[in-house]
Amino acid sequence: IADAKKLAEYKCDTNEAVCLKLVRFPEDLDDESTTFHPEYSHQLYGDDEVAFGYKGLQIQLYYSAGNLSTLFKVKYTARVTDTFDCVEPDDVEGKIREIIPAGFCCNTDDFISLLEKEANFRPFGSLLHTYKVHSVEAGEDLTYQIHKVDVSCPGFREYHERLQTFLMWFIETASFIDVDDDRWDFFLVFEKYNKDGETLYATVGYMTVYNYYVYPDKTRPRVSQTLILPPFQGEGHGAQLLETVHRYYCTSAKVQDITAEDPSENYVKLRDFVLVKLCLTLPSFSSEKLSQGFSEEMVSEAREKLKINKKHARRVYEILRLRNTDMSDEEKAREFRLEVKKRLYGPYRKNQRELTKMRKCLRPEELASHISQMDTRLQHEELEKSYQDVLAEYRRVLERLAQV
């Protein structure tokens, strides 16, 4: 038991042990405030996100800010084999080597000499959009650029291999993509910054989009991965990126509409905000038209001008309808509520139809278990809960919109 207690001291939380940095200046290496940690490490270190066999474990993955040249080191204050002969520590280093491409440095001097070459790094691909964000910390406006890249761009393939390692730490179900498939489009965000009088570029985040074929002659771009690196999160870069990507595909007659693969809750929030902002400019979404209800005109204008599909157009309509509704007026609030609930009721109605079919072919005791699942009172409660959830989501979008 004493041994078991002692062994427990050699467990480390891998989300804390992994230390990430985006390095601009040599002094960043020793500056604790520039370190950030993963949200997830289960893909490498198992569901418990624990590494066994070390005390004071630090897995350092430091990247140069632009080109993402990598410094990789593992440090610890004690290893289990120092005390226990027959207990093997986990191979924490091997796990990292599986995801980071070859060519990384293991010593700081080599990394610093690579850092000096950062002045030669230029963003890949073609510039689509430039924007400014006011930085309180810097006391000035900082400039950002969004570029579109395809994999044939010289040096991009190797750079992307370094960039995609971040997915493992910040996207719960991340997987690497096959860049040899030329249907992938890449969109990257860079920050321009000054160092010793020169202009340099830092990597901020990126989005990958896969162009699916739609019969007979269209494509449907599907957003696959979106990541804004933690030091830049909460500054509005995700919205800038998604809006730029939408505008890019809007100009192509070949594009049917834009979708997303298995979108996370955060992505849905982002998309709501961006699509509502874009639809505000469409005549079919004017205050007058909103009060007349959801129309085919909205569906076709959103699809033709902004490549937004019907389901998303409906959601935008509901958000803007809420914006135009005086919810303190009981009659108007009721009208809005019933309209949203009617849409939410769709899946329940399908259940009722299935139940009618079941009545014809199931034995009474089998039927009873199904009916209890679809009890009407319960349905009303669920519907009300769904409505309240949706209302809260819509209000968050409108709050953000009001700040623009």
Side-chain angles (χ1 to χ4, degrees), residues 363-374:
R363 293 202 305 278
E365 63 273 21
E366 288 178 307
L367 194 59
S369 74
H370 281 281
I371 288 177
S372 67
Q373 283 171 11
M374 299 178 183

Side-chain angles (χ1 to χ4, degrees), residues 19-112:
C19 298
L20 305 164
K21 271 185 200 287
L22 293 162
V23 181
R24 298 185 186 194
F25 307 99
E27 48 271 25
D28 293 346
L29 288 168
D30 300 319
D31 179 354
E32 276 298 299
S33 72
T34 64
T35 305
F36 55 101
H37 300 277
E39 277 177 48
Y40 308 102
S41 54
H42 62 273
Q43 301 233 50
L44 270 74
Y45 296 111
D47 288 344
D48 295 339
E49 298 183 322
V50 162
F52 171 73
Y54 307 88
K55 281 184 186 179
L57 179 65
Q58 260 207 3
I59 301 162
Q60 298 177 344
L61 270 173
Y62 297 168
Y63 293 83
S64 65
N67 194 41
L68 306 179
S69 307
T70 313
L71 171 65
F72 171 43
K73 284 181 173 181
V74 175
K75 294 179 167 181
Y76 46 84
T77 52
R79 206 161 64 154
V80 70
T81 34
D82 305 339
T83 320
F84 297 90
D85 297 336
C86 50
V87 185
E88 277 303 303
D90 291 346
D91 179 11
V92 288
E93 197 170 316
K95 295 285 186 200
I96 299 283
R97 285 172 182 269
E98 284 171 24
I99 64 157
I100 62 170
F104 54 86
C105 323
C106 292
N107 89 55
T108 308
D109 294 342
D110 293 347
F111 181 72
I112 286 174

Side-chain angles (χ1 to χ4, degrees), residues 264-278:
S264 68
E265 208 177 299
N266 282 337
Y267 181 81
V268 172
K269 280 182 199 170
L270 181 67
R271 181 174 63 197
D272 282 343
F273 169 69
V274 169
L275 298 191
V276 165
K277 193 168 160 248
L278 289 170

